[in-house]
Amino acid sequence: MCGALAHLVERFHGMEEVRSSSLLRSTIINLMVDFYMKTILTGIRSNSVLTLGNYLGALLPMVRLANKHSKDSQINIFVPDLHSIISDVDGDLRENIIRTIKYYLAAGLEINENVHIYRQSYVPAHSELCWILNCVATMGETSRMTQYKEKSKGQESCNVGIFDYPILMAADILLYSATYVPIGEDQFQHIELTRNIAMRFNHKFGEIFTVPAKTADQVKFMEVSDGIRIRDLLNPEKKMSKSTKAENSKIMLDDDPAKAAKKIMSATTDSLGKVKFDMFNQPGVSNLLQIEALVNDVPLQDVVSAWAGTTRYGDLKSKVAESVSKMLVDFQAKMTEISDKQVCELLEKGEKYANGVANAKLLEVQRAFHLR
Ligand code: TRP
């Protein structure tokens, strides 16, 4: 916590009436955090083992962003387990959640008192606020969501959770007054919907919600021009996806490193015979350059310049295969060093904090509707 805020919190803690009411305390802390610090919030569904694409394109950039800002911002990293159950989950959801938290830690997430890790379903205010926001959002705006249209397409009966997904997401964000929500471009529409709901609510009831930053500002904050998308190794026009059947199309984080190296060696390239970053004309080669840069944490431009003018795709593949297998060896070793107990302790602490913040915000909303 920054100095001035810590000082204020301490002063309020000292007051008898504040000490005797945990709710009042949370409300005051909320107000002060809103005033002094920004909240950065993100979640990643834990329905299965992640691909290298999920890791390099979403989880790792988030960890780097969190580490950069955790001295002067609140960082909320949560597992949207209620969002998980809109579709089938591979294996046991509880185990998947523990593994996901381990991914963050193995990726180097630094924990301090501003970093909060929690499970959505352990903070009941999310579902409660979701219901209330259902009564603020309109059928029209929710029906326009691309993700809903795509997921419900061709399904004889689509569950209501798929439709309501973005409203629960709005609750996830608004409960914590988050300004920045680092997220993939497929979720930008949901951020815009969240903003609209928050502005409509505030217009009617006063400034209760912090309106998250516009998509353009989110992108600036994330420091990526148009999102990182790791491609399918065999069909590089497509995004790498765990649901693709062909094993050689994707690398999973628990793949045997030697096997992963072989997959890189068999990646599709092209017949142009020059190493160049050009996602449009040379998506396969560009994808390999992108992977090489992210795995080694060096700017893409440096990798592109280092390979400029070379013609042998085999050399590039060997280098990327070596980088990926080395990364997997290190990553998997770190995963085994982190115990379930360590993760559970982090979650319990995070959930205590999250319930405090979320319940205080929920009460403001309930009061606005005269439910309290
Ligand atoms: N919808 C996000 C995804 O599929 C996960 C998510 C749920 C989320 N609630 C959120 C992300 C709130 C950021 C903020 O990846």
Side-chain angles (χ1 to χ4, degrees), residues 35-242:
F35 199 72
Y36 282 100
M37 290 181 126
K38 295 264 180 275
T39 296
I40 304 168
L41 177 144
T42 196
I44 192 161
R45 291 205 294 149
S46 323
N47 286 41
S48 61
V49 175
L50 292 187
T51 66
L52 182 72
N54 302 133
Y55 179 72
L56 295 179
L59 199 135
L60 191 60
M62 177 56 211
V63 166
R64 290 181 180 152
L65 211 54
N67 289 349
K68 182 170 164 198
H69 292 281
S70 66
K71 275 182 205 67
D72 53 12
S73 309
Q74 295 292 320
I75 311 284
N76 288 19
I77 294 180
F78 80 107
V79 181
D81 51 356
L82 295 170
H83 278 113
S84 283
I85 62 172
I86 61 154
S87 56
D88 291 340
V89 175
D90 286 354
D92 186 292
L93 182 56
R94 292 161 301 184
E95 283 169 19
N96 289 349
I97 291 171
I98 302 288
R99 190 180 52 235
T100 302
I101 310 289
K102 288 186 184 177
Y103 284 152
Y104 280 104
L105 299 174
L109 179 68
E110 292 158 14
I111 303 293
N112 68 26
E113 75 275 17
N114 293 335
V115 179
H116 314 287
I117 300 182
Y118 53 94
R119 291 161 287 196
Q120 185 186 40
S121 76
Y122 281 69
V123 187
H126 289 243
S127 331
E128 180 80 19
L129 182 62
C130 174
W131 177 262
I132 296 177
L133 296 181
N134 279 337
C135 306
V136 177
T138 66
M139 288 295 288
E141 64 190 348
T142 313
S143 313
R144 278 197 294 277
M145 294 295 112
T146 309
Q147 181 177 301
Y148 158 67
K149 287 198 273 188
E150 276 174 6
K151 287 208 174 183
S152 60
K153 199 164 53 192
Q155 279 200 27
E156 228 168 74
S157 69
C158 153
N159 71 55
V160 179
I162 292 179
F163 179 71
D164 211 21
Y165 187 105
I167 312 296
L168 178 58
M169 198 166 151
D172 299 337
I173 296 167
L174 298 176
L175 278 174
Y176 302 91
S177 310
T179 300
Y180 295 112
V181 187
I183 211 156
E185 57 187 336
D186 60 328
Q187 299 293 313
F188 286 170
Q189 216 186 8
H190 295 163
I191 302 292
E192 288 304 321
L193 177 65
T194 302
R195 283 172 46 82
N196 290 337
I197 293 174
M199 287 188 283
R200 190 174 313 141
F201 184 95
N202 285 354
H203 184 69
K204 193 161 170 196
F205 297 108
E207 296 298 308
I208 290 180
F209 289 134
T210 299
V211 180
K214 291 195 182 94
T215 317
D217 295 329
Q218 302 280 355
V219 172
K220 255 189 234 150
F221 179 76
M222 287 189 270
E223 298 166 30
V224 289
S225 50
D226 49 3
I228 302 163
R229 258 185 177 210
I230 302 301
R231 311 300 180 109
D232 181 302
L233 296 174
L234 297 181
N235 298 300
E237 296 77 27
K238 295 194 316 188
K239 190 177 160 184
M240 183 185 286
S241 160
K242 56 196 161 219

